[in-house]
Amino acid sequence: MKRKQIVAGNWKMNLNFKEGIKLASDVAKKLPLSDVLVVLGTPAIHLQAVNEVVKNFSGIKVAAQNCHQSEKGAYTGELSLDMIESVGAEYVILGHSERREYFKEDNAVLAKKVDAVLAKGLTPIFCCGEALPIRKKKKHVAHVKKQLQDSLFHLKPAQFSKIVIAYEPIWAIGTGVTATPEQAQEMHKAIRKMIATKYSSKVAEGISILYGGSVKPANAKSLFGQADVDGGLVGGASLKAADFIQVVQGFDQ
Ligand code: PEP
């Protein structure tokens, strides 16, 4: 079975409005590249305009970087899924390690966010991954398993099949240190096995699992060449069109 290949950019809190529109249009003009789906995770204030830019191109979609789990209400500063959907975003990045660390998002709140995203008919890009001390103790697979169990494994198979997973070892995010292709493959294979055990091999084989953590033009090809790596979630290298496109080209064309 051919899984969807996805390269998602996570702009985080970078680029003003004008810069964001320029980057989106520079990337979109180079697409589509083969069967790879490109997703731009933009700051909230850019979502609508970036979607206007990319909607005329194929192979590219827009993602919010977070959402609130409630439908609406007195949550000053937050974004509802209705707002996100109403400007054309189809993906929502959830559980990024920066959200977990700085905004204290835990597995339980992420389970609610996952439910809310799916209920709105959007696609969660669910991030998981371990910090360095956990890897040093060789507890990384167990750590990721708990993240999936607590935030995703309550889903029914049909719901779970709509999820995209991003494995992002925290020690590799924004550090310039990338997991080796073997380290990425080991974890991706383990994640797929967890899904097969919980659901079925069929469900597991259909889930796109992205790797994130200092993906750049120089290492994209070797990472994307691994059997269970279906693409990337890319921070720093998504901020320059040429670099980002080269990362997307890491898939054999
Ligand atoms: C990220 O933000 O998800 C990320 C992986 O960042 P970077 O590519 O810069 O390590």
Side-chain angles (χ1 to χ4, degrees), residues 10 13 23 43 96-97 100 103 123 149 153 163 169 176 191 196 198 202 210 213 220 230 233 239 247:
N10 176 14
M13 197 176 74
L23 175 58
H96 192 282
S97 63
R100 291 176 188 262
F103 302 96
T123 302
Q149 276 172 339
F153 281 0
I163 301 266
I191 291 173
K198 167 72 190 170
K202 189 165 176 252
L210 318 183
D230 306 307
L233 180 54
L239 297 174
V247 167

Side-chain angles (χ1 to χ4, degrees), residues 3-4 15 17 20 32 39 46 53 59 61 69-70 75 84 98-99 110 123 155 165 172 183 203 220 229 236 239 249:
R3 287 184 287 273
K4 198 187 270 185
L15 306 176
F17 188 74
V39 179
H46 301 36
V53 170
K61 302 279 183 194
Q69 62 276 19
S70 302
Y75 300 102
I84 291 168
E98 289 149 19
R99 298 289 320 167
L110 289 168
T123 302
L155 297 171
I165 292 177
Q183 285 172 321
V203 170
V229 178
L239 297 174
Q249 285 168 334

